[in-house]
Amino acid sequence: MKCLNDDDLLQIGVKFTDFEGSSTREAVQFIEMNLREGHVVFAGLKPKYFPELHFMDGESTHYMMIEQFENQGHAVLNDIRHVAGETYDSEFVLNVVSQLEYPLFSMHVQDIDFSPESKQLFLDRAIQQIMRENGSSKSFDKAVEMINQLPYATMEVRKEIFQTLLQLFVVLCGSRYMFSCYVKLLQVPPYVSDMLHYCSDLAESLKNVVIKKEAQIHIIKQSIQIDDLIERLDWLREYERLTLLALKKEVVKDAEASLWNKPEQLVNGPSQLRATAVTSDSVAIEWEASMLDDHVIAFEIAINDMIHKTKVTRFKFQNLKPDTDYHIVVRAKDIFGNVSQLQAEIVVRTEPNLLGIDWALNKSVSASSVEPGFDGMTFPASHVVNGNSSTRWSSEFSAPQWLCIDLEAKVTVSHVVIQWEYSFATKYEIQVSDDNETWLTISTRAKERREGEEEVEVSEEVIVCNGEGRYVRILMLVRETIYGFSIWNVNVYGQKVASRSLCEV
């Protein structure tokens, strides 16, 4: 922001028009006219009215872009990372804007022209800002101090701490991401923008952990551990320090920073690679790595020449063939883009498939609800039976919910396998029916999260059942999180019930 002010925007052709009316009718006219003419319209709104912005100060004024607007119809709003093309009732949007006395403005962008002189001016200002940055970590020290207070603070103080931490990580995430895009335009080595981008990702993950911790305390009423927050914060502090060094060396050409050289290779690789769980169609692995000491940020995993990537020291392969050998190789990647020459490798054989036919595979599925999705993503019920463990169904954020599979034949159900996402059910029932109306419960389940399981993306349960029916329903009663219920895959095993002949009848 210090590199580009309002006068600069005018100079390159960006023009602003403020709304000067005082009524809903005038606001509608202003929005519709500017959108019709191809201008960008911004509206000042209070975050407290938008669940997607729950981490912000609810009473503050936050400007969001209006992409589409139809009076007495719908409005489409857009906001970086948090609201992407979300649709709202237009009357609701006007109501929220009116409470702040219509803070609206339009931005005319048709005549923007960056001259070589203006580009150099903005670049010089950015260089001056980077030169003045001394790498102070006061904000990190303050964040650590606040995190250490969490286990002992009152509920009111905890709420303030969570709010402050969320604001910090949202700002770090957004600013580092935007700056990484800017640096890509400069003639500097790509690793610099990659480092900035990783700092953004790490700040985003810290924000998500804070949200989960707050939910644990306020909604689930659980005590929390803070060690993982402190550890990630230490990582971010160290990577911010290294990124500033890289910026000063490559962008500013600072003499002192030029003495620093990024490592040209990652010497150490992963170690102690092991399989922790093996089924007929999946293998879970874990390994050890010196994350912070070696500046490791990700891992590259090859299984029979297929490449996967992860940021944690564990992975689960899905959709494998039963009774088959798999050669698994893991390499580490550091923040500078180096991939380790040393690697860890093992050979694992999947179990034979003793459960038989999956009667749910590619069958029709219905659900009580489906999460609307975000940024174009969809989570339909059909995802749980498509045989692909990288797609999932997700419900609306309420309980109870249900998921029903039509097996298209009467089956004596012996096992139901559910691969839960992070948002699983802590209490649920497996039910069967012949007519999709009258249900018989054949298993009642209660599930608790294991210590350290908060980041596991797939948690598989094999439920032994004994019941007959054409339809199998999972009735989810209690949520683990503030979100809905989410399932990657459902498998139903058993024996088809033989049809009775006319003679037998």
Side-chain angles (χ1 to χ4, degrees):
M1 290 181 182
K2 292 178 181 178
C3 301
L4 195 67
N5 57 41
D6 288 350
D7 290 337
D8 297 324
L9 292 173
L10 287 172
Q11 182 181 332
I12 63 174
V14 178
K15 297 178 182 177
F16 295 96
T17 301
D18 290 323
F19 173 63
E20 297 180 350
S22 59
S23 69
T24 300
R25 180 180 58 82
E26 292 170 310
V28 169
Q29 290 176 345
F30 178 84
I31 295 170
E32 291 183 337
M33 180 192 70
N34 278 282
L35 289 179
R36 192 164 51 246
E37 294 180 3
H39 302 158
V40 181
V41 179
F42 289 90
L45 307 160
K46 285 192 176 182
K48 69 179 181 181
Y49 296 111
F50 298 87
E52 300 88 351
L53 303 177
H54 65 276
F55 52 85
M56 300 181 68
D57 177 6
E59 295 296 336
S60 63
T61 301
H62 179 66
Y63 279 88
M64 294 166 64
M65 185 170 71
I66 300 179
E67 282 192 339
Q68 299 174 29
F69 186 87
E70 179 184 323
N71 192 25
Q72 298 181 341
H74 71 279
V76 178
L77 305 183
N78 211 330
D79 186 44
I80 292 174
R81 282 198 177 218
H82 309 300
V83 180
E86 289 287 327
T87 301
Y88 301 90
D89 183 79
S90 60
E91 187 175 349
F92 163 74
V93 173
L94 289 170
N95 252 345
V96 176
V97 176
S98 68
Q99 292 184 33
L100 294 172
E101 298 182 356
Y102 303 101
L104 295 164
F105 71 88
S106 65
M107 184 170 71
H108 310 196
V109 296
Q110 290 86 346
D111 302 318
I112 292 180
D113 180 29
F114 274 102
S115 67
E117 292 77 19
S118 60
K119 287 181 183 177
Q120 191 59 50
L121 172 65
F122 305 143
L123 175 58
D124 290 343
R125 288 182 190 166
I127 288 174
Q128 290 169 14
Q129 290 294 325
I130 295 170
M131 287 179 65
R132 282 196 287 267
E133 178 58 54
N134 59 10
S136 171
S137 61
K138 288 182 180 179
S139 58
F140 289 103
D141 293 336
K142 182 64 177 176
V144 170
E145 181 185 323
M146 288 191 292
I147 292 170
N148 282 322
Q149 292 177 32
L150 280 173
Y152 317 104
T154 64
M155 293 298 282
E156 193 60 35
V157 172
R158 280 176 176 172
K159 186 176 180 180
E160 292 178 7
I161 291 174
F162 281 128
Q163 188 64 40
T164 303
L165 291 173
L166 284 171
Q167 293 289 333
L168 170 64
F169 298 137
V170 166
V171 169
L172 288 174
C173 172
S175 61
R176 275 46 175 172
Y177 173 74
M178 295 300 291
F179 197 48
S180 73
C181 297
Y182 172 75
V183 167
K184 283 182 181 178
L185 303 175
L186 306 178
Q187 298 301 311
V188 296
Y191 84 90
V192 181
S193 60
D194 290 344
M195 290 174 73
L196 277 162
H197 200 286
Y198 182 73
C199 288
S200 172
D201 285 347
L202 194 49
E204 174 82 358
S205 73
L206 274 160
K207 182 206 78 175
N208 292 335
V209 172
V210 169
I211 290 172
K212 292 174 186 176
K213 299 290 185 189
E214 187 172 22
Q216 279 182 293
I217 289 180
H218 293 155
I219 299 173
I220 311 173
K221 309 299 183 184
Q222 293 179 345
S223 59
I224 62 167
Q225 298 292 323
I226 61 172
D227 293 350
D228 54 340
L229 264 177
I230 298 291
E231 181 182 48
R232 289 178 193 233
L233 200 59
D234 286 342
W235 290 4
L236 182 55
R237 186 201 304 254
E238 171 64 5
Y239 292 146
E240 289 257 322
R241 181 188 72 81
L242 290 171
T243 304
L244 180 59
L245 268 175
L247 283 166
K248 288 193 170 186
K249 176 184 176 67
E250 306 289 359
V251 178
V252 181
K253 309 300 181 185
D254 177 72
E256 186 176 343
S258 66
L259 300 176
W260 172 81
N261 290 304
K262 76 177 183 71
E264 292 304 319
Q265 62 178 347
L266 175 54
V267 178
N268 298 317
S271 61
Q272 300 182 44
L273 176 61
R274 56 202 179 274
T276 56
V278 180
T279 69
S280 60
D281 64 352
S282 68
V283 173
I285 57 173
E286 290 183 355
W287 59 90
E288 305 297 327
S290 302
M291 301 292 287
L292 191 56
D293 290 344
D294 293 332
H295 301 120
V296 172
I297 63 170
F299 299 93
E300 190 177 87
I301 309 165
I303 177 168
N304 286 11
D305 299 325
M306 293 183 294
I307 304 298
H308 301 270
K309 294 181 181 179
T310 181
K311 295 179 181 178
V312 293
T313 56
R314 57 182 178 270
F315 194 80
K316 187 168 186 177
F317 302 99
Q318 303 282 353
N319 308 316
L320 305 181
K321 294 179 180 179
D323 205 21
T324 302
D325 285 332
Y326 285 93
H327 180 217
I328 301 171
V329 176
V330 182
R331 292 186 179 90
K333 179 182 177 182
D334 67 17
I335 196 172
F336 310 107
N338 301 314
V339 177
S340 63
Q341 296 301 307
L342 294 176
Q343 60 189 37
E345 53 187 314
I346 55 171
V347 175
V348 181
R349 189 173 187 84
T350 50
E351 297 286 341
N353 185 357
L354 303 178
L355 295 177
I357 297 172
D358 176 11
W359 293 98
L361 184 64
N362 296 322
K363 297 301 195 304
S364 60
V365 190
S366 57
S368 52
S369 69
V370 175
E371 182 186 348
F374 173 77
D375 199 16
M377 297 177 68
T378 56
F379 310 103
S382 58
H383 280 171
V384 304
V385 295
N386 64 3
N388 184 348
S389 294
S390 62
T391 61
R392 63 187 175 93
W393 162 75
S394 184
S395 76
E396 293 179 348
F397 298 175
S398 61
Q401 301 285 344
W402 55 262
L403 192 71
C404 177
I405 304 170
D406 180 0
L407 306 180
E408 299 178 3
K410 192 171 183 177
V411 173
T412 302
V413 179
S414 61
H415 295 82
V416 174
V417 180
I418 304 175
Q419 293 173 342
W420 294 100
E421 197 250 357
Y422 174 78
S423 301
F424 61 78
T426 55
K427 185 178 180 182
Y428 64 97
E429 297 177 358
I430 306 294
Q431 301 175 323
V432 291
S433 172
D434 287 332
D435 56 9
N436 202 15
E437 292 182 2
T438 304
W439 295 94
L440 173 67
T441 298
I442 58 175
S443 181
T444 299
R445 305 286 295 181
K447 175 175 166 57
E448 295 181 2
R449 189 179 300 285
R450 301 191 308 271
E451 184 69 24
E453 192 185 13
E454 61 193 61
E455 286 186 9
V456 175
E457 293 185 349
V458 178
S459 176
E460 185 174 278
E461 280 196 290
V462 180
I463 303 108
V464 178
C465 305
N466 184 15
E468 289 185 357
R470 169 175 170 170
Y471 301 89
V472 173
R473 185 169 76 169
I474 304 168
L475 178 62
M476 290 152 275
L477 303 170
V478 182
R479 294 177 290 168
E480 162 67 10
T481 70
I482 60 175
Y483 309 105
F485 300 95
S486 185
I487 296 175
W488 296 102
N489 240 2
V490 177
N491 313 98
V492 178
Y493 298 100
Q495 295 294 321
K496 184 178 179 180
V497 177
S499 300
R500 299 176 67 189
S501 70
L502 275 173
C503 294
E504 289 177 307
V505 173

